[in-house]
Amino acid sequence: MIITIQSNNGNQSVSQTGVESIKAVKDIFTIVDSDYLMSIAQTFGFELIESAENIMPNGKSLLTYEFSKG
């Protein structure tokens, strides 16, 4: 299982944009703590295999976690 979440790194959660579908994201946006994500994965028998961070030009980053069912 692979999960990718956005880390805001202190920046605004949803960037300003003229794209209407992105504007709607701010209404459903939820902060997910990566430690909480890890604990939930472990609860369901998944273990972390690999993780990576990809930093975007706006200072935010995408955190990708790869899990395997243990």
Side-chain angles (χ1 to χ4, degrees):
M1 169 176 64
I2 297 175
I3 297 175
T4 299
I5 60 175
Q6 174 183 296
S7 178
N8 297 325
N9 300 331
N11 294 307
Q12 183 178 1
S13 300
V14 180
S15 299
Q16 297 295 326
T17 180
V19 179
E20 290 301 317
S21 60
I22 298 297
K23 290 180 182 178
V25 170
K26 69 178 171 43
D27 296 330
I28 61 170
F29 178 82
T30 302
I31 293 176
V32 176
D33 179 74
S34 60
D35 291 333
Y36 177 71
L37 176 66
M38 298 296 175
S39 70
I40 294 298
Q42 288 177 341
T43 298
F44 288 96
F46 289 93
E47 49 188 66
L48 182 66
I49 296 174
E50 188 175 348
S51 65
E53 179 178 22
N54 295 295
I55 300 172
M56 298 183 289
N58 64 1
K60 298 176 184 179
S61 60
L62 296 176
L63 305 172
T64 302
Y65 302 97
E66 183 178 354
F67 295 93
S68 177
K69 189 87 172 185

